[in-house]
Amino acid sequence: MDIWSSLMDGFATALTPMNLLYAFIGVLLGTAVGVLPGIGPAMTVALLLPVTTVLEPTSAFIMFAGIYYGGMYGGSTTSILLNTPGESSSVITAIEGNKMAKAGKAAQALATAAIGSFVAGTIGTTLLVVFAPIVVQFAVSLGSPSYFAIMMLALLAVTAVLGASRLRGFASLGLGLAIGLVGIDSVTGQRRLTFGQPLLADGLDVVVVAVAIFAVGEALWVAAHLRRTPLQIIPVGRPWMGKQDWKRSWKPWLRGTVFGFPFGALPAGGAEIPTFLSYVTEKRLSKHPEEFGKGAIEGVAGPEAANNAAAAGTLTPMLALGLPTNATAAVMLAAFVQFGIQPGPLLFQNEGPLVWALIASLFIGNTLLLLVNLPLAPVWAKLLRLPRPYLYAGILFFATLGAYAVNLQAFDLAILLVLGGLGFMMRRYGLPVLPLILGLILGPRAEGQLRKTLQLSAGDVSGLWSEPIAVVVYIIIAVVLAWPLLAKLWRRLRPRPAGLAMAGGPAVDGPAAGPAAAPSAEPSEAGSYLSPAVEAPAAVRPAAERRADAGRRGADATHANHGQENP
C-alpha cells in the first residue's frame, strides 16, 4: 500500500465525528494553554495522560496532536499582545509582533501568524508524508561537529544583528550562557553556580526565565513610568490584513517553512533555531529593513511559519526513529509506551492505521486552528484597549501562575522576581533581551555537542571541523563576524564624489557654502543617510538652527540625568 492510500485511510479514521470532536477539543486546549505563559503543550499533554487511558489510542493521539499545534499558535498570541511568550519557540515573535501591537496593528500581526501557521503547518505535514525517510536519513548522518557548528552560527548570527550595539548584544548573550550553566555538570557531576542551593541543582527552567525576563521585566518597566507618562490606550487599528500586508507576508511564510521543517526533523533541532534564523534572513532580505525593531510584519510571518513547520518536522524522528526532539514529543513518546505501543522504525509497519490517522489529524487540526483563530484576531486585539495597570496586573498574575506551575516550587517565584529585576535593568541600559534567551536555550546543548566532539576526537581541536557541513557553517560564521569590518574598509577605500568627501569637514569655500550645501535626504554613496548636522558644516548653518540644536542637546542631557524617564 503506497503512502497516499495510507493517508486516505488515515483521513477516513480522523474524520469520524468522535475523532473530529477530540481534534477540536485538542485545538482549543492547546490554544488556551499556549496563551498562558509557562503552561505549554508539553505540560498539558502530561497532565492529560492519566485521563486518556480510557480513550482509544487513536483518539488520544489525535487530541494530543491538536494540543501540540494549538500550543504552538497560542504562544504567539501573548507574544504579540503582551510581549510574553507562552513557549520558548515564540520568543522571536515578541520582537516585532509586540511592536506591531503597540502601533495599532495587533490584528494584522495575529492574522499573519494564524495564516502563516496554517500555510507552514500544511506544507510541513505534506513534507512529513513525502520526504520523511530522506530527511531522517540526512538527520542521522550529521554528527556532533555539525550540530555544534549550527548552534554556534545561531548564537553569533542573532546576537550580531540585534540591538544598536554588538557589545551589548554579546553582553546579553554572556548573561544567557551564564544562566544556562547553573546546575549539575552532566559529565563530571559537579555543581555549577548553585551557591549551595539544592533547588538549583537541576538548573533554571527556560520557561521561568523567559517569563521573568519578558513578562515581569516588561511589567516593572511600565510600572516605573506610569506616574511619569500619561496613560494611553493602544489603538486596535484595522481588523484585517491589507493588500500590502499580504504582499509582504507570503514570501516569509514560504521561507520560514524551508527553515522550520529540516531543523524540526534534526535530532538536536527544535523550533528555536529556525525561528531565529528566519528572523535574521527576513531582516537581511526585507525591502523595509528600517522597520525591523519597530514592528515589521515580515518579522512575525517568517518566524511563525518556521515555528509551525518545525512542529511538523519534530514528528518525523519521533514517528520514524522513536527519537523526540522537544518536550512535547517526549511526552507523546511516553504516551505510546503507556498504550503498549513500541516506538521506533517498526512503528509504521506495526501501527500503520494509528500513525496515518495521527498524520491526517495534523491537516485537520491545522485547518481548525485557522477557522477558530482567524476570526478571533480582532477580538484578541481588543485586549490592548484595557488600561495598562489592569493589563499588566493580569500579566503578572498569569506569569506567577505559569512559573509556579512548571515545578510547583515556591522557589521558582523567587527566581521569577530576581530575573524580572534583571529584565528591568536590561531595558534600562539598552541590552537586547533575545540573546540572553538564546544563550540559555542553546548554551547547554552546544556544550553537550562540543564535549561529544572532543571526546570522539580524543581532545583534538581539529575534530570540530571534521565534517563537510561543519566546514561550510564555520565559513558562514567567519563571514558574519568579518562582514562589518569588510564593509567599513570598503566604504573607506571606495572613491566618493568630492562634495560628499568634504561633508562634515572644514567650511567649504565658494558656492559649496551656499544653498548647494543644503541638507539632503538622499542616501550617500557610502550607503547611509547623512544627517543635516553632518551634511552642512557648523560654520555655514544659521544661528537659529545652531541654537535649536543646542537646546535639544541640553534637553537630551537632562533626560539622561533623570534616568530615562520616558519608556
mmCIF file of all heavy atoms in Angstrom, residues 35 41 67 76 112 210 272 282 289 297 306 315 408 486 539 542:
data_model
loop_
_atom_site.group_PDB
_atom_site.id
_atom_site.type_symbol
_atom_site.label_atom_id
_atom_site.label_comp_id
_atom_site.label_asym_id
_atom_site.label_seq_id
_atom_site.Cartn_x
_atom_site.Cartn_y
_atom_site.Cartn_z
ATOM 1 N N VAL A 35 -1.641 30.371 25.295
ATOM 2 C CA VAL A 35 -1.816 31.769 25.671
ATOM 3 C C VAL A 35 -1.303 32.025 27.084
ATOM 4 O O VAL A 35 -0.780 33.097 27.378
ATOM 5 C CB VAL A 35 -3.303 32.166 25.546
ATOM 6 C CG1 VAL A 35 -3.581 33.483 26.235
ATOM 7 C CG2 VAL A 35 -3.688 32.258 24.078
ATOM 8 N N PRO A 41 2.223 23.188 25.804
ATOM 9 C CA PRO A 41 1.586 21.950 25.354
ATOM 10 C C PRO A 41 2.165 20.709 26.001
ATOM 11 O O PRO A 41 1.459 19.736 26.239
ATOM 12 C CB PRO A 41 1.814 21.964 23.833
ATOM 13 C CG PRO A 41 2.951 22.913 23.612
ATOM 14 C CD PRO A 41 2.858 23.922 24.702
ATOM 15 N N ILE A 67 -3.498 19.537 20.594
ATOM 16 C CA ILE A 67 -2.888 20.322 21.674
ATOM 17 C C ILE A 67 -1.513 20.843 21.239
ATOM 18 O O ILE A 67 -1.155 21.999 21.492
ATOM 19 C CB ILE A 67 -2.762 19.461 22.944
ATOM 20 C CG1 ILE A 67 -4.149 19.153 23.505
ATOM 21 C CG2 ILE A 67 -1.912 20.157 24.001
ATOM 22 C CD1 ILE A 67 -4.145 18.144 24.635
ATOM 23 N N SER A 76 2.059 32.431 20.315
ATOM 24 C CA SER A 76 2.282 33.661 19.555
ATOM 25 C C SER A 76 1.299 34.754 19.955
ATOM 26 O O SER A 76 1.598 35.937 19.793
ATOM 27 C CB SER A 76 2.158 33.385 18.053
ATOM 28 O OG SER A 76 0.827 33.041 17.707
ATOM 29 N N THR A 112 -1.459 37.387 10.396
ATOM 30 C CA THR A 112 -0.332 36.822 9.641
ATOM 31 C C THR A 112 0.272 35.636 10.383
ATOM 32 O O THR A 112 0.771 34.698 9.766
ATOM 33 C CB THR A 112 0.743 37.894 9.360
ATOM 34 O OG1 THR A 112 1.651 37.400 8.391
ATOM 35 C CG2 THR A 112 1.531 38.259 10.602
ATOM 36 N N ALA A 210 12.236 32.850 30.717
ATOM 37 C CA ALA A 210 11.615 33.632 29.639
ATOM 38 C C ALA A 210 10.470 34.478 30.171
ATOM 39 O O ALA A 210 10.326 35.659 29.815
ATOM 40 C CB ALA A 210 11.127 32.695 28.531
ATOM 41 N N GLU A 272 13.431 26.509 18.048
ATOM 42 C CA GLU A 272 14.078 27.761 18.421
ATOM 43 C C GLU A 272 15.045 28.254 17.345
ATOM 44 O O GLU A 272 14.994 29.405 16.919
ATOM 45 C CB GLU A 272 14.831 27.601 19.756
ATOM 46 C CG GLU A 272 13.934 27.410 20.961
ATOM 47 C CD GLU A 272 13.541 25.959 21.159
ATOM 48 O OE1 GLU A 272 14.018 25.102 20.383
ATOM 49 O OE2 GLU A 272 12.745 25.671 22.075
ATOM 50 N N GLU A 282 14.901 37.352 7.174
ATOM 51 C CA GLU A 282 13.913 38.351 6.750
ATOM 52 C C GLU A 282 14.452 39.763 6.919
ATOM 53 O O GLU A 282 14.165 40.651 6.113
ATOM 54 C CB GLU A 282 12.611 38.175 7.545
ATOM 55 C CG GLU A 282 11.898 36.854 7.292
ATOM 56 C CD GLU A 282 11.694 36.566 5.815
ATOM 57 O OE1 GLU A 282 11.424 37.514 5.055
ATOM 58 O OE2 GLU A 282 11.829 35.403 5.419
ATOM 59 N N PRO A 289 14.116 47.369 5.799
ATOM 60 C CA PRO A 289 14.907 46.991 6.977
ATOM 61 C C PRO A 289 14.798 47.989 8.117
ATOM 62 O O PRO A 289 15.018 47.631 9.273
ATOM 63 C CB PRO A 289 16.340 46.918 6.431
ATOM 64 C CG PRO A 289 16.328 47.808 5.223
ATOM 65 C CD PRO A 289 14.959 47.670 4.625
ATOM 66 N N ILE A 297 6.174 43.385 9.706
ATOM 67 C CA ILE A 297 5.296 42.218 9.613
ATOM 68 C C ILE A 297 6.066 40.979 9.160
ATOM 69 O O ILE A 297 5.702 39.853 9.516
ATOM 70 C CB ILE A 297 4.104 42.517 8.670
ATOM 71 C CG1 ILE A 297 2.993 41.461 8.854
ATOM 72 C CG2 ILE A 297 4.561 42.599 7.221
ATOM 73 C CD1 ILE A 297 1.700 41.828 8.154
ATOM 74 N N ALA A 306 8.130 29.287 10.489
ATOM 75 C CA ALA A 306 9.204 28.368 10.871
ATOM 76 C C ALA A 306 8.817 27.563 12.107
ATOM 77 O O ALA A 306 9.119 26.367 12.213
ATOM 78 C CB ALA A 306 10.489 29.151 11.128
ATOM 79 N N LEU A 315 7.845 15.697 14.439
ATOM 80 C CA LEU A 315 7.192 14.389 14.462
ATOM 81 C C LEU A 315 7.904 13.377 13.566
ATOM 82 O O LEU A 315 7.660 12.170 13.699
ATOM 83 C CB LEU A 315 5.734 14.534 14.025
ATOM 84 C CG LEU A 315 4.862 15.396 14.939
ATOM 85 C CD1 LEU A 315 3.456 15.506 14.367
ATOM 86 C CD2 LEU A 315 4.814 14.817 16.344
ATOM 87 N N LEU A 408 5.932 23.502 40.535
ATOM 88 C CA LEU A 408 5.169 23.580 41.789
ATOM 89 C C LEU A 408 6.098 23.866 42.968
ATOM 90 O O LEU A 408 5.956 23.295 44.056
ATOM 91 C CB LEU A 408 4.382 22.289 42.020
ATOM 92 C CG LEU A 408 3.311 21.951 40.963
ATOM 93 C CD1 LEU A 408 2.620 20.639 41.298
ATOM 94 C CD2 LEU A 408 2.301 23.076 40.836
ATOM 95 N N LEU A 486 34.764 44.337 6.934
ATOM 96 C CA LEU A 486 34.962 44.418 5.484
ATOM 97 C C LEU A 486 34.139 45.543 4.880
ATOM 98 O O LEU A 486 34.617 46.269 3.990
ATOM 99 C CB LEU A 486 34.603 43.081 4.836
ATOM 100 C CG LEU A 486 35.472 41.880 5.220
ATOM 101 C CD1 LEU A 486 34.927 40.602 4.573
ATOM 102 C CD2 LEU A 486 36.918 42.116 4.806
ATOM 103 N N ALA A 539 29.878 76.074 10.509
ATOM 104 C CA ALA A 539 30.182 77.471 10.254
ATOM 105 C C ALA A 539 29.191 78.122 9.319
ATOM 106 O O ALA A 539 29.048 79.339 9.319
ATOM 107 C CB ALA A 539 31.600 77.595 9.688
ATOM 108 N N PRO A 542 22.608 78.391 9.879
ATOM 109 C CA PRO A 542 22.003 79.576 10.501
ATOM 110 C C PRO A 542 22.149 79.532 12.019
ATOM 111 O O PRO A 542 22.142 78.461 12.638
ATOM 112 C CB PRO A 542 20.528 79.480 10.081
ATOM 113 C CG PRO A 542 20.532 78.586 8.884
ATOM 114 C CD PRO A 542 21.668 77.644 9.088
#
